Amino acid sequence: MGRPILRVAVPSPLYQTFDYLVPANVDPRELMAGVRVRVPFGRTRSIGVLLEMAGSSPIADGRLKTAEAVLDQEPVVTPEILALARWASGYYHYPLGEVLAAVLPVALRTGRRRRSGRLNWAVTESGLLVDVATLDRAPRQAAVLNVLLQHPQGLDREALVALVGTPDSALAALRKKGWVARTEAQVTDPTPAVSPQISPTLTQAQSKAVDRVSAALDRFGVFLLDGVTGSGKTEVYLRLAETVLAKQRQVLILVPEIGLTPQLVDRVRRRLGARLAVLHSGLSDGERLDAWQMARSGDAAIVLGTRSAVFTPLARPGLLIVDEEHDASLKQQEGFRYSARDLLVWRARHLDIPVLLGSATPSLESLYNVQQGRYTELRLPDRAGDARPPRIQLLDMRKERLEDGLSRPMLERIEQHLSRDGQVMLFLNRRGYAPTLLCHECGWSAQCRRCDARMVMHQSRGQLRCHHCGAQRILDARCGQCDSADLRPIGQGTERVEQALARNFPGQTLIRIDRDSTRRKGSLEKMLQMARSGKGRLLLGTQMLAKGHHFPDVTLVGILDADSGLYGADFRASERMAQLIVQVAGRAGRARRAGEVCIQTHHPDHPLLQLLLTEGYSGFAQAALAERQAAQLPPHASLALLRAEAINREMPWSFLEQARDLAQADGAPGVELWGPVPAPMERRGGRYRAQLVLQANRRKDLQCLLQVWVRRLGTLKGARKVRWSVDVDPGDTL
Ligand code: ADP
Ligand code: ZN
Ligand code: ZN
């Protein structure tokens, strides 16, 4: 056998691994898969991940380069995460080196050393119960534990050295017993672990759900917790987490971006009193690395995070949970496109532990899996506590005169609820003042110069903005076509409705929550606090306001425009609209006060709305599933999308035509090719976009084609002149 060879995954668009010789000062027998390796790559150098040691390489010996350095002694990519990355790379047809780069915290991607320090040592819950006297045969451990018991907030290593001398072996021993753990340095929670919040007595449905999952903790299984808003799903997660923690296992909880609120973090921390690692996009690289390390070492018993937290390594995984499993933010839409929910299900199977998917409005995918017998459904049909389901009614807008998007009956309802001390929440999924600025003389409207889209008027800033590419300019004073000065804002966004509400309800505290009003750090939390405390009587917002928040005093929820989702271009538009309506409606009457939901629409007879009203979300979902079956769309079929864009219109088109021909030349058994077609908004950010849809009734057929085809796309003529990407199980086909 020749010299051992390092097989390395390097971030690169090429679908291949790269071979290197072992650096002279490294003993190949000590190398483990998953360590980072710095290698020469092209004209620069790159950080890759060692996949395996190979006995020989297809590259001639003399042409192999030598790796510059091995950066870790222990793998940063654990065997489990490496398996996940390999599977994901194969399923989503994205290069393994790129997948691994996306999987690692940024701080590690750049080749920095794994840092320790800055983390504190603290006593765990079980450590609190230890009688130190039992440690008399291990005086070092007793000393360390004693000191830590006197400092419940934890101490860093330096402080321990100062107090008791070198603590490392004692800490290692205590940690093995589960009595101490590393924790964030800035734990300021004054009541961790010691006085956990009391949990309510579970309802019958909750108990049943908890029992079913508890009985299956030792094996793989997917549970769909289908519970109406406010039915106590979070309570079920917490109860199960308690059970799992008691077995010294960890729990990973994924939540949508918008669902990761400080309240949830607080609720988890207070109830479980366990070491908690929180991973979200707002963290600095250092903070993210700390949280990642706590999860990996097992010091964090609970890991709570958004989408990318699905890749967090766990030392002792016991239960995986996805909250709001239908939420679109669980799907990564750029670069390495993956579904965090689906990857978490894969992880659960691989680890042979259960995964729990929770939602009040489950995705059609998950409901279909229940129908197929692959997932177990657990239902929570009623709200927890005394809360009653809200009354929902449609307000027919066809004969109404609107005042800035508010109909007379809507204004009357608001008035009624406010005068009876209710809190009112209005929902409009459009920020800005007006979506269109129109010339009253000639019908011209202000367009984005780089997109096939209208500019949105933002009055407070005196600007026009494109919500697709971010372009902005000063409000046009005159028509671009006839030079008339009679330009009028048409339609409404939250800014405009806010003004109308202020006019109609002077003296009421009004809070507007959207991306514009919450730009400053901390402002969202402040507004939510005002909303929760009941100080803000009138709440107005986009979907930022729709999810996950618990406002006990809200008695009226108004959906100002339900129509946009009824005739959307995407095949998921109606599913999303139904989910949104049900989620928003779920904000009404969460506590003891009865709630009312009013939906403004020009299409009160629309079958979707009617179904939703008469039979609820599950009635809607059954009908939608039947429609998908008839149209051979997911979840009854599998889709993949090849997107291409370029600065002129022809290039993406010609690329996609070649791609289609390439697929057809191989016969493409079981796969239909639709297109190419222009993207619904063809020009965006100055680039022309088109797409090719691949549809198969059997997932296997689609995967079989993609396997060969994607790797050849880069060789098509003009492939370098277009930006192309493959999206397997696309969230939106737009
Ligand atoms: P979901 O996650 O389904 O929206 P939560 O778990 O947040 O529901 O519960 C909604 C509200 O009901 C919360 O205020 C919660 O404290 C309360 N709650 C949950 N379960 C119970 C129960 N068994 N008894 C009384 N109150 C409960
Ligand atoms: Zn004009
Ligand atoms: Zn634009």
Side-chain angles (χ1 to χ4, degrees):
M1 204 168 103
R3 284 190 290 174
I5 282 160
L6 305 174
R7 189 145 292 158
V8 180
V10 180
S12 127
L14 300 172
Y15 288 86
Q16 63 173 89
T17 56
F18 297 87
D19 289 352
Y20 292 91
L21 296 172
V22 182
N25 60 345
V26 171
D27 181 351
R29 285 166 304 183
E30 286 180 359
L31 289 178
M32 286 192 269
V35 297
R36 290 170 304 157
V37 189
R38 193 170 65 231
V39 294
F41 194 71
R43 258 169 282 163
T44 63
R45 41 165 58 162
S46 188
I47 308 284
V49 172
L50 177 64
L51 297 175
E52 59 187 358
M53 304 292 292
S56 65
S57 172
I59 313 271
D61 216 27
R63 296 187 50 219
L64 275 178
K65 292 186 184 163
T66 304
E68 286 180 12
V70 175
L71 302 184
D72 309 293
Q73 285 176 324
E74 276 179 53
V76 290
V77 182
T78 61
E80 192 232 330
I81 299 298
L82 189 55
L84 174 69
R86 278 185 192 275
W87 184 83
S89 167
Y91 183 80
Y92 292 110
H93 302 278
Y94 204 65
L96 181 57
E98 298 275 13
V99 170
L100 285 166
V103 156
L104 285 175
V106 175
L108 294 178
R109 248 178 265 169
T110 50
R112 217 178 299 162
R113 295 233 158 245
R114 269 173 68 194
R115 204 165 39 101
S116 55
R118 238 185 56 73
L119 287 177
N120 273 356
W121 288 93
V123 178
T124 62
E125 268 163 290
S126 43
L128 285 172
L129 306 174
V130 174
D131 181 359
V132 182
T134 61
L135 279 172
D136 59 353
R137 296 232 311 277
R140 304 275 321 137
Q141 291 179 40
V144 169
L145 189 61
N146 247 329
V147 169
L148 287 178
L149 280 167
Q150 289 157 24
H151 296 87
Q153 301 292 334
L155 290 171
D156 64 12
R157 186 178 173 281
E158 259 169 58
L160 281 168
V161 170
L163 291 166
V164 296
T166 311
D168 303 284
S169 57
L171 282 172
L174 290 169
R175 175 170 163 183
K176 223 170 168 177
K177 294 173 182 155
W179 295 347
V180 305
R182 277 195 304 193
T183 177
E184 301 142 284
Q186 65 283 46
V187 180
T188 48
D189 192 345
T191 54
V194 198
S195 59
Q197 223 179 31
I198 326 151
S199 33
T201 312
L202 294 184
T203 63
Q204 226 174 15
Q206 282 173 321
S207 299
K208 205 170 140 202
V210 168
D211 291 347
R212 288 288 294 278
V213 182
S214 299
L217 284 176
D218 58 349
R219 57 185 180 272
F220 170 66
V222 188
F223 296 92
L224 178 65
L225 184 63
D226 180 353
V228 299
T229 47
S231 59
K233 293 183 292 297
T234 312
E235 194 55 46
V236 170
Y237 307 153
L238 292 173
R239 209 56 76 94
L240 284 167
E242 277 169 0
T243 309
V244 174
L245 295 193
K247 295 177 193 277
Q248 311 297 329
R249 298 293 203 99
Q250 290 168 288
V251 181
L252 170 62
I253 308 176
L254 293 187
V255 295
E257 264 147 34
I258 247 157
L260 187 53
T261 57
Q263 296 122 275
L264 177 65
V265 175
D266 200 48
R267 189 168 166 195
V268 173
R269 204 194 292 273
R270 294 230 310 277
R271 269 294 293 288
L272 300 175
R275 309 283 158 210
L276 174 66
V278 183
L279 290 138
H280 58 83
S281 53
L283 297 180
S284 70
D285 293 350
E287 289 168 328
R288 177 166 273 270
L289 181 59
D290 284 349
W292 183 89
Q293 272 171 337
M294 283 170 62
R296 184 199 155 113
S297 65
D299 287 344
I302 307 273
V303 181
L304 187 60
T306 48
R307 186 173 62 223
S308 66
V310 67
F311 300 112
T312 314
L314 300 168
R316 298 171 273 103
L319 175 65
L320 308 177
I321 296 174
V322 186
D323 189 27
E324 311 287 2
E325 64 88 30
H326 65 280
D327 195 275
S329 77
L330 291 165
K331 172 80 165 60
Q332 166 76 29
Q333 309 272 26
E334 272 159 40
F336 168 34
R337 295 168 168 79
Y338 62 87
S339 154
R341 175 194 63 208
D342 296 350
L343 286 182
L344 203 67
V345 170
W346 190 90
R347 263 188 101 171
R349 180 181 292 123
H350 185 71
L351 291 166
D352 204 20
I353 58 174
V355 57
L356 182 61
L357 313 178
S359 178
T361 53
S363 62
L364 296 185
E365 274 71 13
S366 293
L367 290 171
Y368 178 69
N369 279 320
V370 169
Q371 282 182 359
Q372 299 292 305
R374 285 193 283 263
Y375 293 2
T376 305
E377 188 172 36
L378 307 168
R379 302 189 88 155
L380 306 179
D382 303 308
R383 289 187 164 194
D386 302 325
R388 300 272 75 84
R391 200 171 75 228
I392 304 186
Q393 41 188 313
L394 300 178
L395 302 182
D396 186 348
M397 312 290 286
R398 284 172 300 188
K399 300 166 219 72
E400 288 290 336
R401 261 184 61 99
L402 296 184
E403 182 184 342
D404 288 343
L406 296 163
S407 64
R408 196 54 15 221
M410 185 64 96
L411 286 166
E412 281 162 11
R413 290 295 195 311
I414 297 172
E415 174 73 52
Q416 265 172 25
H417 280 260
L418 288 176
S419 68
R420 283 191 232 133
D421 264 351
Q423 203 176 9
V424 173
M425 183 164 153
L426 301 175
F427 177 79
L428 178 63
N429 212 6
R430 205 182 298 122
R431 62 197 171 87
Y433 185 82
T436 307
L437 186 64
L438 192 78
C439 171
H440 195 58
E441 294 290 327
C442 76
W444 172 91
S445 64
Q447 299 280 328
C448 176
R449 297 188 181 118
R450 310 173 66 216
C451 305
D452 295 333
R454 291 184 176 145
M455 296 293 274
V456 176
M457 177 176 165
H458 285 250
Q459 196 186 49
S460 60
R461 300 190 164 235
Q463 279 184 337
L464 290 173
R465 289 198 191 164
C466 174
H467 287 186
H468 303 284
C469 72
Q472 35 184 278
R473 61 177 191 252
I474 295 181
L475 267 182
D476 298 338
R478 296 185 164 275
C479 170
Q481 191 166 277
C482 74
D483 210 38
S484 158
D486 191 0
L487 299 181
R488 300 185 184 182
I490 304 296
Q492 41 278 320
T494 46
E495 227 182 88
R496 188 172 197 168
V497 175
E498 181 185 28
Q499 291 182 9
L501 289 170
R503 257 196 327 270
N504 278 280
F505 306 101
Q508 297 283 357
T509 329
L510 171 61
I511 302 177
R512 187 186 109 214
I513 294 184
D514 56 32
R515 259 203 293 154
D516 299 315
S517 70
T518 57
R519 198 147 285 164
R520 236 175 321 129
K521 209 176 162 156
S523 57
L524 173 62
E525 192 34 41
K526 216 163 102 195
M527 290 184 189
L528 289 172
Q529 177 51 38
M530 275 178 76
R532 264 196 310 278
S533 69
K535 192 156 170 254
R537 305 309 300 166
L538 256 169
L539 317 176
L540 165 67
T542 56
Q543 59 175 352
M544 281 184 99
L545 193 55
K547 297 176 193 167
H549 306 295
H550 183 57
F551 303 125
D553 287 345
V554 168
T555 53
L556 172 66
V557 166
I559 296 172
L560 300 185
D561 178 14
D563 295 346
S564 56
L566 295 177
Y567 298 99
D570 192 275
F571 75 89
R572 287 185 211 272
S574 67
E575 178 186 358
R576 298 245 182 272
M577 192 64 203
Q579 288 165 342
L580 202 63
I581 289 177
V582 174
Q583 294 284 345
V584 176
R587 304 301 120 199
R590 295 263 288 184
R592 233 147 268 159
R593 318 180 63 162
E596 189 177 9
V597 177
C598 293
I599 304 177
Q600 296 193 144
T601 175
H602 289 94
H603 309 279
D605 302 324
H606 193 284
L608 152 67
L609 283 176
Q610 285 302 329
L611 253 177
L612 209 53
L613 250 56
T614 52
E615 293 176 45
Y617 182 77
S618 66
F620 158 80
Q622 293 318 313
L625 273 171
E627 262 179 34
R628 298 273 184 92
Q629 179 161 29
Q632 302 200 310
L633 285 170
H636 285 276
S638 286
L639 288 189
L641 205 60
L642 176 62
R643 294 188 179 86
E645 56 173 61
I647 43 173
N648 75 28
R649 185 179 263 129
E650 288 70 41
M651 283 194 292
W653 204 264
S654 121
F655 172 79
L656 293 174
E657 278 175 347
Q658 290 177 66
R660 183 195 57 205
D661 295 346
L662 179 67
Q664 276 164 349
D666 290 344
V671 181
E672 279 193 44
L673 296 143
W674 300 339
V677 291
M681 183 189 300
E682 188 180 12
R683 199 170 54 103
R684 179 168 172 169
R687 305 176 78 88
Y688 290 88
R689 313 178 308 149
Q691 56 197 30
L692 180 68
V693 180
L694 290 79
Q695 184 270 5
N697 288 339
R698 296 192 314 170
R699 187 182 299 269
K700 226 173 60 195
D701 291 334
L702 182 61
Q703 284 292 336
C704 198
L705 171 76
L706 293 172
Q707 178 66 31
V708 194
W709 184 67
V710 174
R711 281 153 188 74
R712 288 164 63 185
L713 293 175
T715 64
L716 295 177
K717 206 168 123 243
R720 284 159 174 275
K721 297 209 179 105
V722 297
R723 224 186 262 163
W724 60 269
S725 60
V726 175
D727 197 347
V728 179
D729 305 334
D732 301 298
T733 47
L734 302 187

